[in-house]
Amino acid sequence: MVSLNSTLREHALAARGFMPENEGDALYDAAVIAASNAAGPFLEVGSYCGRSTVWLGGAARDSGRALYAVDHHMGSEENQPGWEWHEPDLVDERTGRMDTLPRFRATIVDAGLTDVVIAVVGDSPKVARNWTTELAFLFIDGGHGVEPATLDYELWTPRVARGGTLAIHDVFPDPADGGRPPYENIYLPAIASGLFEETGVEGSLRILRRI
Ligand code: SAH
Ligand code: MG
């Protein structure tokens, strides 16, 4: 397994977010391998404060690619006040709404990744409907409800190049472990399509290769 250099790894671990260390390392490894199998940039759906973005940005730099980081930065349903994954200090007091863009920007600037990470601030389905470039690596970690997961599957996965990689986060086959949509509405349909085969598992991270 190839690893992110220790300086960037420190930045990833210091960043806020929901990417466990072992899964971030697996994400880096998968992205570097993806770049050796397919042309095109990397794209992440769901960056939050930039934690996974540092592992993937490092992989993009080490592979001579760009990483597009797509997020509206207003938080998923489960990040809103009253929900399980809400962090009150990420609310913009002017609007009373979540805004992770300042934190994301700080993470990328501090990590020195502004030359490879391109933030795309907007609604994932809207961005996807205007996106035509084939991707070497697609990481889906956006909204985890049925509708956002389904739309991310339907609109983004056709952009993965042959030989390229689809990585999905928060895949929980056992409902006792977590929410179902990334499993039922992204992972299962990807496998059922016959277009992807599983090449790796680390925690809730699934790595699929476009056949
Ligand atoms: N990858 C991150 C965690 C992402 S959390 C980490 O490593 O920590 C999920 C993110 O998806 C949130 O930041 C939320 O704003 C974003 N998101 C949810 N629905 C979205 C949509 N429809 N369009 C764009 N971003 C969305
Ligand atoms: Mg996640």
Side-chain angles (χ1 to χ4, degrees):
M1 183 157 145
V2 286
S3 301
L4 180 59
N5 76 68
S6 59
T7 307
L8 273 183
R9 208 163 168 280
E10 290 301 319
H11 282 281
L13 295 174
R16 287 168 64 158
F18 308 108
M19 181 54 60
E21 185 170 0
N22 58 317
E23 298 177 31
D25 287 340
L27 194 63
Y28 173 86
D29 181 68
V32 169
I33 292 171
S36 68
N37 291 318
F42 299 170
L43 189 141
E44 164 179 84
V45 180
S47 304
Y48 200 63
C49 299
R51 188 173 166 95
S52 53
T53 320
V54 175
W55 270 286
L56 285 180
R61 170 177 289 158
D62 294 345
S63 307
R65 308 295 166 93
L67 168 66
Y68 290 88
V70 178
D71 199 310
H72 54 32
H73 288 284
M74 297 189 293
S76 304
E77 195 176 29
E78 53 274 14
N79 304 129
Q80 302 307 320
W83 288 71
E84 185 180 1
W85 301 105
H86 180 58
E87 300 190 280
D89 64 319
L90 296 176
V91 171
D92 177 351
E93 36 187 71
R94 272 180 337 106
T95 61
R97 300 221 307 253
M98 289 278 298
D99 185 3
T100 50
L101 184 56
R103 291 270 179 177
F104 170 84
R105 179 71 181 161
T107 300
I108 300 310
V109 169
D110 291 353
L113 285 169
T114 54
D115 59 331
V116 282
V117 176
I118 302 167
V120 180
V121 182
D123 182 48
S124 172
K126 287 213 174 87
V127 178
R129 288 191 173 101
N130 288 287
W131 189 275
T132 53
T133 305
E134 290 211 328
L135 303 168
F137 189 85
L138 170 64
F139 175 51
I140 300 184
D141 192 21
H144 288 354
V146 173
E147 189 187 323
T150 303
L151 287 172
D152 282 340
Y153 171 72
E154 289 177 352
L155 298 172
W156 280 116
T157 60
R159 301 278 88 83
V160 179
R162 276 169 201 255
T165 296
L166 166 64
I168 312 164
H169 200 226
D170 302 305
V171 173
F172 300 113
D174 182 348
D177 296 331
R180 299 283 278 174
Y183 174 67
E184 286 187 328
N185 304 101
I186 306 177
Y187 174 81
L188 288 181
I191 297 294
S193 72
L195 297 173
F196 293 93
E197 63 185 6
E198 185 167 296
T199 57
V201 180
E202 181 69 37
S204 74
L205 180 70
R206 294 289 183 283
I207 309 296
L208 276 55
R209 201 171 92 94
R210 173 69 166 84
I211 296 161

